[in-house]
Amino acid sequence: MVSDRALPTDPGWPGTPGRPTVLLVDASSQLEEKLIAGWAARHGENYETIGIPPSRRRRPGIRPDPRLEARLGRDDDPLIVPVRVVWQAADRDGTRSVHISDLLKFGDPRDPNIFRQHLFLRRFPDRCQIVLGEPAGAATLREAWKASDDVVALREFVARRAWLTLERAERHVRGNRYKVPKFLTEEIVRTGSFRDGISLLSTDTGKAYAAVHKEALKNLKEIAASHSPLVIDLAANLINRLYRQGYGSINYDATHLNRLYQLGEQHPLIFLPSHKSQLDRLMLQYILWENDRPPNHTAGGINMNFFPIGQIIRRSGVFFIRRTFKDKPIYKFALQSYIDFLIEKRFPIEWYLEGGRSRSGKLLPPKFGMLSYVTDSYLRNKAEDIILLPVSIAYDQIQDVADYAREQRGEAKKGESISWVVHAISQLRRRHGNVYVRFGEPVSLAKALPAGTTDSDEKSIAIQKVAFEVMVQIGRVTPISPTAGVCIALLSRPNTARSAQEIRDSLAELAEFVIRRRLPITERVLLDGTEQVVEVLERLVEHDIVTRVDGGTTAVYQIGADQHLSAAYYRNVVIHFFVNSAIAELALQRVSAERPTDPLTMFWDEAMAIRDLLKFEFFFAAKEEYQAEIGAELGYVDPDWAAVVSRGNADEVLRAIRPTMSTWVLAPFLESYAVVAEALSSLPATVDDKTFMAQAIGRGKSYQSQGKITAAESVSQVFFKTALDLARNRGLAGERAEAIDEATLTSRRKEFVDEIDDLLNRIRAIAVLKDGSG
C-alpha cells in the first residue's frame, strides 16, 4: 500500500533504547493514521499510540482519549512524542505558498481532503511529511501541569502541549511566516489570572460570575485576530498584485529588518509605523511575508470590520478595537487579557501611534491608549522588556491625497465600505512611483520605565516620552523624495509656470542642503538631472495636481487650481527636516532688526519662543538638545556664527543662509494661526469646534481672495485645529479662558494676534532681504 512506504523525508525514531514511548497521534484522516503507523513500524520499538483530537478539521466536543490520562499516571515514565502529518503547497521558485490558482483546485493544499491526500501521496510524495513535536517525559509533563494555573485535566493539558510543539515543528517545514497563535481564546480563558479577573469584575459590577465570563469571552472573540495560513498566503499574493498596479517596488533594507528580529528572539516587538495611507499595513505585511517573518497582530478600528473586508483582514492578522469603551470594564479587561497574551508569548504587535492617517502629510501627535495597555502588560511582568520599532512608510505619491485635501477644506470624510475599497483599488491603476519603508532606532520600554513602577504619574510621563521618541525616530528616517522636492519648488512660486529645467535649477540649493547634512533620501542623488524632474512632474500631472502648458518652446508646469493642499501634502511629509533652519532665520532677523545689547541672548530667547508657539505642530527636542540642533544647523552656514551674532552682525549670518526656509516652511502654518487668532478675537471664551472650523475656513477663503493669505495651503482645517489647540493651551479658549475676566481675555487674544503678525512680517522682511542680496 502507498501508506506503507517511506516518505522522502522520513524522520528518525525519537526514543531511546529500552524506554517506553507513547506516540500522541494528531491525524485528520485514516490515511494520516496509516502513514504514522507505517513510519512507527519501520523505525520504532516498545511503543504504543494514543490519538489526540486533530488540530485540523476539528470537530467540537471531541476530547483526548481517556487512555492518555491512565498512561500518564503509570510509574514507568514513558517518553511522550507528538506526531503529525504535514501537507505542503507546490514548490514555486523555492517558495511553498498558496496561490489563488490553488483554490480553484479544491481548496487549501495544506489541508487536503482524503481524496487529495491520496492524490498527493501518489503523484507528489515530496509534499507530504511526518513531523515530530518536542518529546517530554510523562513525569515532566505532570510537574508542568501541576505548576501551571491551568484548570483543565491532565490529558487535555498534555494534548494542548502536543499541539503547540507540533506547530513549532511544522513551522520548521513551512516557515516562520505562519507563526500564529493556534488556540488563542482557549489559552487565555483557561488561565488563573483570567479567572481571577472575572471574579473581581463580578464583585465590582454586581453581575454573576457566569454572566461576566460570557460577556468577556464574547468581547475577546470580537477583538481577537484569527490568523489563517491560507489567508496569509492569499493576502500576500493579492497585495503583490495590487501594489504593482500603481507602484514599481517596495524599497527597504532586508538586512536591517533581520537584525531587528534578532531582538525579537528575547523580547516582544511592537511595530509602530507612520500612517499616510490605507496601504500602510499591506506594505509592511507583505515585506514581513516576503522575508519569512510572522505576521503582526495589527490593531484596527472597528469601522473596518464590515463584510467581507472585516472577515478577510481579521484572518490576515487584524484585531479590532472599539472607538470608545470608557465605561466598559469587561471590554477593557478582555482587551488587556488579549494584549497580555500577545506580549507574554512574544507575538509581534502593530498599531499606528498617530491614531489615524495624516491628512496634511506631517506626523500627528501620538495617541497613548494602546501604548498604555502594552506598558501595563510590561509592568505586570509579562515581559522583561518590550522593544518598540519606529517605522516610516513613505510613498512617491498616494492615491488618498485628493480625499485628504477635500477633508482639509472642511468636507466630510468618506465612510469605509466595499464601494470605498473598490474605488481605492481603481485609483491604483495610475502611476504612483515607489514605496519606501525605513526602520528607526529601536526604543526599549525597560530603559524608559523600570519594572515594578507603581506611580501613575511616573508611568504617564514615561509613556509620553517613549511615544515622543518613537515619533522623532520615524521623522529622522523618513526619506526625502523627488516628489517632495518638486512640490517644494512649485509651492515656493505657486502662481508662476516654469519649465522642468527652471524647477531643477531652483532646487539646486535645497539639494545641496540635503546632501551636506546627509538627510535620508529615496534616490542616490536627489533630482539628478532634468529627466527625473520631468518624470515627477508628469506623475503629478497624471494625478491632476500639476497643470502642464504646451505650445511654447518648452512645456511649463504649475500647481493646478485648488491643488495647493495636495502639493503641500508631499512637502509636509519632510518639512520637519527644515524647521530648525527656518526658526533660526526668524530669530536672526529679530536680532538684526532690533540691535539689542545682548544679541545672543535675544537670539536664544526668540528661538525658544517660536518653539513654544509651534509645539503642537512639530516634534521638538528638549531645550538643551534643541539649542544644540539650532547651533549645529547654523554651524553649516558659519562655524563662528555665535561670535558673529554676539558682535552685532546677525544680518551677515542671515544673508548667508541658503536656501531661505521660513518663507515656505513656516509661513503657511503661521497664516493659518493668524486666521484662528483673529477669529477668536470676536468670540466668547468657549467655542464649539465644528462651528468654529466652518467659520475659520470661511474666513481663510476670504483672506485668500483679498491677498491677506499668500499660501493657499494655509486654508486647512488640520492647521486650524492645531492653532485652536494651542489657543486652548494658552488659556485663550475653553475652560481656562472662562476663568479670567473679559478685559484680560481680550488683551491676551490681542497679544496672540500681534505675536503671529510680527512673525509673518519678519518672514516678509527676510524675503525682501534675500531678494535684495541676490
Side-chain angles (χ1 to χ4, degrees):
M1 294 177 64
V2 168
S3 57
D4 291 333
R5 73 186 186 193
L7 296 172
T9 54
D10 235 7
W13 187 251
T16 56
R19 185 176 186 182
T21 300
V22 176
L23 300 178
L24 297 187
V25 178
D26 175 3
S28 65
S29 69
Q30 289 185 347
L31 177 60
E32 291 184 356
E33 290 176 354
K34 290 180 180 179
L35 285 169
I36 292 171
W39 164 79
R42 288 191 299 274
H43 297 280
E45 59 180 29
N46 192 18
Y47 70 89
E48 60 185 294
T49 60
I50 298 177
I52 58 175
S55 54
R56 294 198 329 273
R57 301 178 180 268
R58 296 173 69 193
R59 296 188 297 276
I62 297 181
R63 309 294 292 274
D65 192 324
R67 291 186 301 142
L68 176 58
E69 190 100 30
R71 188 65 187 86
L72 290 167
R74 286 162 54 181
D75 296 333
D76 55 347
D77 191 26
L79 187 67
I80 309 299
V81 181
V83 58
R84 160 191 300 176
V85 174
V86 173
W87 304 91
Q88 298 194 74
D91 188 333
R92 295 181 176 92
D93 300 321
T95 300
R96 292 185 181 272
S97 63
V98 178
H99 289 234
I100 296 175
S101 59
D102 290 315
L103 295 186
L104 304 177
K105 302 173 184 175
F106 313 108
D108 186 353
R110 293 170 305 201
D111 185 19
N113 59 34
I114 186 61
F115 302 107
R116 295 185 77 199
Q117 287 180 6
H118 279 282
L119 175 66
F120 287 174
L121 200 57
R122 291 181 183 277
R123 297 183 58 187
F124 315 109
D126 63 305
R127 294 171 63 176
C128 177
Q129 184 172 340
I130 292 173
V131 298
L132 308 178
E134 184 179 356
T140 302
L141 291 172
R142 283 196 302 270
E143 291 302 315
W145 172 64
K146 291 175 182 177
S148 74
D149 62 354
D150 215 325
V151 293
V152 297
L154 174 60
R155 68 176 184 271
E156 293 183 359
F157 174 84
V158 171
R160 195 163 73 249
R161 282 277 293 259
W163 287 329
L164 294 175
T165 65
L166 286 168
E167 288 297 309
R168 286 194 287 271
E170 189 169 325
R171 282 202 301 274
H172 286 296
V173 176
R174 291 184 176 176
N176 288 318
R177 60 171 62 101
Y178 309 111
K179 181 187 176 184
V180 296
K182 189 80 171 182
F183 311 107
L184 184 148
T185 304
E186 295 95 322
E187 287 201 57
I188 292 175
V189 301
R190 285 172 175 170
T191 61
S193 58
F194 186 85
R195 298 194 309 274
D196 292 343
I198 296 295
S199 296
L200 287 173
L201 283 169
S202 176
T203 301
D204 293 343
T205 61
K207 296 181 179 179
Y209 180 95
V212 175
H213 189 281
K214 181 179 180 181
E215 185 175 343
L217 182 59
K218 179 182 177 182
N219 290 336
L220 194 58
K221 290 180 178 179
E222 175 190 309
I223 294 167
S226 53
H227 291 83
S228 159
L230 173 63
V231 175
I232 288 170
D233 278 348
L234 292 178
N237 283 278
L238 286 171
I239 291 168
N240 184 43
R241 293 188 181 188
L242 180 67
Y243 90 79
R244 289 188 181 278
Q245 289 188 55
Y247 292 98
S249 65
I250 306 174
N251 182 283
Y252 66 96
D253 186 343
T255 302
H256 189 186
L257 177 64
N258 291 331
R259 285 201 303 268
L260 293 175
Y261 269 93
Q262 292 175 9
L263 298 174
E265 293 175 3
Q266 301 296 325
H267 308 293
L269 300 179
I270 307 294
F271 288 79
L272 297 173
S274 57
H275 201 11
K276 297 294 190 288
S277 168
Q278 291 288 15
L279 292 176
D280 292 339
R281 178 179 180 271
L282 303 184
M283 299 301 99
L284 187 53
Q285 180 181 352
Y286 182 76
I287 67 173
L288 295 182
W289 182 90
E290 190 175 47
N291 286 271
D292 193 29
R293 297 300 177 181
N296 292 339
H297 294 250
T298 306
I302 199 71
N303 60 304
M304 291 299 296
N305 190 19
F306 58 88
F307 181 83
I309 300 301
Q311 288 73 11
I312 294 172
I313 62 177
R314 185 188 292 274
R315 286 166 175 76
S316 69
V318 173
F319 64 94
F320 294 106
I321 302 178
R322 297 176 187 175
R323 289 188 178 275
T324 58
F325 46 89
K326 184 178 180 181
D327 300 319
K328 303 289 185 180
I330 299 175
Y331 183 89
K332 287 182 181 179
F333 171 73
L335 177 59
Q336 186 66 74
S337 298
Y338 182 66
I339 300 299
D340 282 352
F341 174 84
L342 297 180
I343 293 294
E344 189 171 22
K345 303 299 183 181
R346 297 204 307 273
F347 287 109
I349 305 176
E350 174 189 338
W351 76 87
Y352 301 111
L353 199 53
E354 297 170 275
R357 288 171 290 159
S358 170
R359 266 55 178 180
S360 68
K362 283 192 317 88
L363 290 172
L364 300 175
K367 307 293 185 183
F368 305 122
M370 274 294 293
L371 186 55
S372 181
Y373 275 93
V374 167
T375 302
D376 286 341
S377 294
Y378 160 72
L379 293 175
R380 282 197 296 275
N381 299 313
K382 299 300 180 181
E384 293 181 359
D385 194 4
I386 295 174
I387 304 300
L388 309 179
L389 301 179
V391 185
S392 167
I393 304 177
Y395 304 79
D396 280 325
Q397 288 182 234
I398 61 171
Q399 82 278 15
D400 317 69
V401 73
D403 290 337
Y404 294 167
R406 282 190 286 270
E407 290 179 42
Q408 287 191 78
R409 288 192 289 266
E411 297 181 29
K413 173 181 176 291
K414 294 181 180 179
E416 288 80 4
S417 64
I418 189 63
S419 61
W420 169 82
V421 173
V422 171
H423 174 73
I425 293 174
S426 69
Q427 294 297 302
L428 283 172
R429 292 171 184 162
R430 298 186 290 182
R431 294 178 301 164
H432 290 77
N434 295 319
V435 185
Y436 307 91
V437 180
R438 301 288 186 268
F439 299 95
E441 195 67 26
V443 177
S444 163
L445 195 57
K447 289 181 179 178
L449 190 64
T453 299
T454 57
D455 184 87
S456 59
D457 290 337
E458 185 179 353
K459 170 193 162 186
S460 178
I461 292 170
I463 288 173
Q464 292 177 44
K465 287 183 176 180
V466 164
F468 179 88
E469 178 61 23
V470 169
M471 300 308 294
V472 168
Q473 289 293 334
I474 291 173
R476 284 178 181 168
V477 298
T478 297
I480 300 170
S481 68
T483 305
V486 167
C487 286
I488 287 170
L490 292 170
L491 288 164
S492 67
R493 293 169 59 189
N495 300 317
T496 302
R498 286 173 287 169
S499 69
Q501 183 60 52
E502 289 173 321
I503 292 170
R504 172 68 187 95
D505 292 344
S506 72
L507 284 169
E509 289 181 342
L510 181 68
E512 182 182 350
F513 180 100
V514 168
I515 293 168
R516 190 177 179 194
R517 288 155 181 78
R518 297 184 178 181
L519 299 180
I521 57 177
T522 62
E523 307 290 341
R524 191 163 58 88
V525 179
L526 184 67
L527 294 172
D528 184 25
T530 306
E531 288 184 5
Q532 188 186 41
V533 175
V534 171
E535 179 185 342
V536 173
L537 286 166
E538 289 300 324
R539 278 205 310 264
L540 291 168
V541 170
E542 185 178 349
H543 288 256
D544 302 319
I545 296 173
V546 167
T547 298
R548 184 187 64 240
V549 180
D550 299 307
T553 56
T554 185
V556 292
Y557 303 83
Q558 70 179 120
I559 297 174
D562 294 326
Q563 292 299 317
H564 297 77
L565 284 169
S566 296
Y569 179 93
Y570 298 110
R571 176 198 66 193
N572 293 341
V573 169
V574 299
I575 202 168
H576 55 279
F577 288 118
F578 312 106
V579 169
N580 283 348
S581 182
I583 290 174
E585 287 179 17
L586 288 173
L588 287 168
Q589 197 283 331
R590 182 183 176 192
V591 173
S592 176
E594 298 188 14
R595 302 287 179 180
T597 56
D598 188 351
L600 200 57
T601 297
M602 175 178 279
F603 172 86
W604 287 120
D605 288 346
E606 183 63 11
M608 293 304 297
I610 298 172
R611 172 182 179 269
D612 183 72
L613 180 72
L614 298 173
K615 64 186 177 184
F616 286 91
E617 209 69 68
F618 303 104
F619 293 96
F620 291 106
K623 179 180 178 180
E624 293 78 11
E625 186 180 352
Y626 168 72
Q627 290 181 338
E629 291 173 354
I630 294 284
E633 183 56 51
L634 289 177
Y636 285 106
V637 180
D638 184 346
D640 202 30
W641 72 271
V644 175
V645 171
S646 295
R647 291 195 298 267
N649 297 321
D651 56 325
E652 292 182 12
V653 182
L654 181 57
R655 283 192 179 92
I657 294 176
R658 290 288 187 275
T660 302
M661 298 289 183
S662 56
T663 51
W664 60 268
V665 173
L666 298 184
F669 299 94
L670 293 174
E671 287 185 339
S672 292
Y673 283 30
V675 170
V676 170
E678 292 177 21
L680 282 173
S681 299
S682 59
L683 295 175
T686 300
V687 296
D688 174 72
D689 281 26
K690 188 174 181 179
T691 302
F692 180 82
M693 285 302 136
Q695 292 175 350
I697 288 171
R699 182 184 289 260
K701 290 178 179 177
S702 175
Y703 283 6
Q704 184 183 348
S705 65
Q706 298 173 59
K708 293 182 180 180
I709 283 180
T710 58
E713 66 271 22
S714 299
V715 185
S716 164
Q717 187 168 247
V718 173
F719 297 163
F720 292 156
K721 182 181 183 305
T722 307
L724 184 58
D725 289 342
L726 175 67
R728 288 197 172 107
N729 179 260
R730 291 189 168 191
L732 303 178
E735 293 182 3
R736 290 177 59 192
E738 291 178 344
I740 58 178
D741 62 86
E742 185 176 346
T744 302
L745 178 61
T746 300
S747 174
R748 290 181 181 176
R749 284 178 167 179
K750 177 65 168 55
E751 291 172 0
F752 188 38
V753 172
D754 292 343
E755 178 184 5
I756 296 168
D757 282 348
D758 177 60
L759 289 171
L760 287 170
N761 286 331
R762 278 194 261 153
I763 288 174
R764 296 181 191 109
I766 290 171
V768 171
L769 175 71
K770 291 303 185 73
D771 288 343
S773 63

